[in-house]
Amino acid sequence: MSYSRLWTATIVLALTLVPVAPGAQQAGVNGTATQTNAQALRQFSGAPIDVDYQTANLRTVLRQLSEIGGINLVIDPSVPTAASVDLKLTQVPWDQVMDVILKTSGLTSQIDGVVLRVMTMEARTAELEAATRQKLASQQAPDLDTARIRLNYSPAAGVKALLEDARLVSERGTVEVDERTNILIIKDLPANIAEIRQLVTELDRPEPQVEIEARIVQTNRDTARALGVQWGFNGRVSPELGNTTDLAFPNSGSLSGRVTEQGLVQQAPNDPRATALDATGTGVNLAVPGATSAIGLSMGAVNGAFNLDIALSALQREGTLDIISAPKVTTQNNRMAEILQGFEIPIQVVANNTVTVTYRDAALRLEVTPQITAADTVVMQIVLENGFPDFSRAVNGNPSINTQRAATQVQVPDGVTTVIGGIEQSRETTANDRTPGVSRIPLLGWLFKREQETSESQELMVFITPRIIR
C-alpha cells in the first residue's frame, strides 16, 4: 500500500465526530459546526468492497478494514472487547465502511503522525480535559515576573482595561496602574509579559493633531423702490373774495380735500383769510414713508378762490451686510474639541409667584471630532451652531434666539476646504396703495396711487478646512 493511499484513508477517518471539552483544543479534529460542513462535503476514495458481518467482533472487523486500506491502526483499551458488528453493504468504499462502523459503535478516531487511533468518545473527552489541566498546571508552575512599563502618550488606565478585555493576562497575572506616573505594573508569566510589551509599544505612540477652521459667511442684501404722490385742492366762494353765490343760503362755501385719519393737514399756499377748515386741502395722501425729499408744485388763483398743490416723493434704497465668523480649534486625533464664543441671555420664568432666572446660550459653538485616515484624509463629525438674540421677536421681554445649526460627518483631504452647509432665502414684496375707482383712469391714475417694491435676500455658507499637524 502506497503512502498516498495511507494518508487519504487516515484523513477521511479523522473527520469522525469527536466531542471537545470546553476550552480545550483538539489536534486533528475540528469543532462540531466544522465537522458538520465537512460531513456534507466528504468524499470517500477507498476501494469499493462487499461486507456481510453477523455478530462479528468489533476489534476483528477494524483490523480487517485496516489491512484492506493499508493503514496503521491502534485500538484504544477503552474500546469494548466484546462489542459486535452487524451490517451488510455492497460496493461501498472501505473507508466509508469503517466510518459507518465507528459511528454506529459510538467510537471516534485520532491521527498521531501516520497512526490512526480508535477510541470511545468518552475516552477522547477525558484525554482532552487532562491535556487542558496539564496546560493550566504548567502555566501555574513557573514563577511570575514583574514588569513596569511607563506610558508617554496613552493613559495607563485605558491600556489596563484593554489588556483585561483582550484577556492577554493569565489567571494568575495582575495589572495595576500608577496614575501619578502613568506606569503599568504587570505581574505575569514571562511569555505574556513579552507579548504585552510588544502591544504597548505599538499603542503608546504620539497621535497627530488636527486644526479645524470653520468660516461662517452670512450675506444680507435688500433693495427698495417706492413712488408716491400727495396732492390737494381748495376752492372757495366767500364775501371776502367777492364771489358769493348771490343766495341767502348758502352765501359762502368751500370745496377741498380731506384726510381724516391723520388729522388736519395744512396744504400751502393758502389764503390767510381762510379759516382752518377751509385751509384743509390734501385730498390724496399717498406719500412714501421715510422719503427725505420730494418735488412740489403749487398753483392758485389771484384772489385765492382756488388753490392746487402737488408733491411727488420717491425713495430707492440698497443695503448689503456681510457677517464673517471664523472659529478655529486644534485637537488630537479621535478626540472631541469644542470652542464657544458669545454670551448668555437671562430668561425670567414666573411660576407659583416665584421668579426664576435661567440662561440660554446665544453664541457661536463649534464641536468637532476628527479621525485621520491612512490616505491623509480627515473624517470629521461636526456640530456647528451660530445663535444670536432677536429682540424684534421678544416674548415678555425675553428675546428669541435665532439659531443656525449644522450637524454632519464628512471626509476631507488635508488642507482642502469643503462646504458643509448653505441656506439661501429670498423675499420680494410689492405693495400698491390706491384710491378706488379713479386710480384706474388711464394716465391720470398715477395721481391716485402709491407703488412700493422691496427685495430681500439672505445667504448663509459654512466652510470647513482641516489641517493635519504632524
Side-chain angles (χ1 to χ4, degrees):
M1 183 65 61
S2 63
Y3 281 105
S4 60
R5 184 177 180 185
L6 171 63
W7 278 109
T8 303
T10 54
I11 291 173
V12 171
L13 291 175
L15 296 175
T16 307
L17 180 63
V18 177
V20 179
Q25 296 181 352
Q26 180 178 354
V29 180
N30 296 326
T32 303
T34 306
Q35 287 187 358
T36 303
N37 297 335
Q39 186 91 10
L41 301 176
R42 182 184 305 177
Q43 299 293 333
F44 297 98
S45 59
I49 61 174
D50 298 334
V51 294
D52 186 2
Y53 296 114
Q54 296 181 2
T55 317
N57 184 267
L58 174 61
R59 288 173 171 260
T60 303
V61 171
L62 292 176
R63 288 178 176 275
Q64 291 178 354
L65 291 176
S66 66
E67 292 178 358
I68 294 174
I71 62 175
N72 298 317
L73 177 67
V74 175
I75 299 177
D76 191 80
S78 61
V79 178
T81 57
S84 59
V85 177
D86 286 282
L87 78 162
K88 184 179 185 300
L89 300 173
T90 303
Q91 292 300 302
V92 177
W94 71 266
D95 48 0
Q96 186 176 4
V97 174
M98 179 172 281
D99 185 68
V100 171
I101 293 174
L102 293 177
K103 288 182 178 179
T104 55
S105 302
L107 302 178
T108 185
S109 61
Q110 173 68 23
I111 296 177
D112 288 339
V114 294
V115 178
L116 179 67
R117 299 172 55 223
V118 176
M119 66 194 75
T120 61
M121 294 184 178
E122 292 79 6
R124 180 58 181 161
T125 301
E127 187 179 86
L128 294 174
E129 290 177 350
T132 302
R133 289 193 298 269
Q134 183 181 3
K135 182 179 179 180
L136 292 176
S138 63
Q139 291 181 351
Q140 296 175 358
D143 294 335
L144 301 181
D145 289 348
T146 301
R148 291 173 291 275
I149 304 176
R150 180 185 295 272
L151 302 178
N152 297 319
Y153 307 101
S154 302
V159 176
K160 173 188 175 182
L162 177 62
L163 296 177
E164 294 175 347
D165 294 341
R167 298 181 181 179
L168 297 179
V169 183
S170 65
E171 294 182 358
R172 297 175 59 198
T174 59
V175 180
E176 300 297 334
V177 173
D178 183 13
E179 296 183 356
R180 183 179 62 86
T181 58
N182 202 36
I183 290 180
L184 284 176
I185 304 174
I186 305 173
K187 190 173 184 179
D188 205 346
L189 300 173
N192 290 357
I193 290 180
E195 184 178 357
I196 291 174
R197 283 186 182 276
Q198 181 179 359
L199 177 62
V200 170
T201 302
E202 296 177 358
L203 295 178
D204 190 33
R205 295 180 178 179
E207 289 290 335
Q209 299 186 123
V210 182
E211 180 188 68
I212 309 297
E213 181 181 1
R215 285 187 174 269
I216 304 174
V217 181
Q218 182 176 357
T219 303
N220 297 334
R221 296 183 178 88
D222 69 283
T223 59
R225 185 177 65 86
L227 180 64
V229 62
Q230 289 176 290
W231 65 274
F233 64 93
N234 188 311
R236 292 185 297 140
V237 289
S238 174
E240 294 85 355
L241 303 177
N243 59 348
T244 61
T245 61
D246 296 332
L247 298 176
F249 180 85
N251 182 263
S252 63
S254 66
L255 178 64
S256 63
R258 299 290 175 90
V259 181
T260 58
E261 63 181 12
Q262 296 182 4
L264 302 179
V265 179
Q266 295 294 330
Q267 190 71 36
N270 285 294
D271 193 335
R273 296 168 295 179
T275 64
L277 187 60
D278 293 336
T280 303
T282 302
V284 176
N285 187 24
L286 297 177
V288 175
T292 58
S293 60
I295 298 177
L297 176 64
S298 298
M299 295 177 289
V302 174
N303 60 357
F306 184 78
N307 296 302
L308 178 65
D309 186 38
I310 299 176
L312 297 177
S313 58
L315 175 66
Q316 184 171 357
R317 183 182 70 249
E318 294 183 1
T320 301
L321 174 64
D322 294 334
I323 301 176
I324 299 178
S325 302
K328 185 184 300 184
V329 64
T330 302
T331 181
Q332 285 189 342
N333 187 28
N334 292 317
R335 295 296 180 92
M336 188 193 74
E338 180 182 7
I339 186 171
L340 183 69
Q341 179 185 3
F343 52 90
E344 294 182 340
I345 298 178
I347 306 295
Q348 290 186 354
V349 179
V350 180
N352 298 327
N353 296 326
T354 302
V355 179
T356 304
V357 179
T358 60
Y359 291 87
R360 292 184 58 189
D361 289 335
L364 176 62
R365 182 172 69 93
L366 173 62
E367 180 181 305
V368 59
T369 303
Q371 178 183 355
I372 302 175
T373 66
D376 276 345
T377 61
V378 182
V379 179
M380 296 176 292
Q381 294 182 355
I382 302 171
V383 177
L384 182 62
E385 184 174 309
N386 186 23
F388 52 90
D390 187 357
F391 289 92
S392 63
R393 295 179 175 86
V395 177
N396 296 329
N398 300 321
S400 60
I401 306 299
N402 191 341
T403 303
Q404 300 159 350
R405 187 173 187 271
T408 184
Q409 179 174 339
V410 294
Q411 181 174 349
V412 184
D414 180 22
V416 176
T417 302
T418 183
V419 182
I420 67 169
I423 300 175
E424 182 177 359
Q425 296 178 337
S426 60
R427 181 175 62 182
E428 295 184 0
T429 304
T430 301
N432 293 322
D433 299 326
R434 59 184 68 195
T435 303
V438 293
S439 62
R440 306 291 184 180
I441 300 175
L443 299 180
L444 295 179
W446 65 273
L447 293 174
F448 299 90
K449 62 183 179 181
R450 175 176 57 195
E451 295 182 353
Q452 293 181 344
E453 295 181 359
T454 304
S455 176
E456 298 180 2
S457 64
Q458 296 180 354
E459 186 174 5
L460 174 68
M461 301 294 290
V462 181
F463 301 88
I464 292 290
T465 306
R467 296 182 179 89
I468 300 176
I469 303 175
R470 301 190 182 278

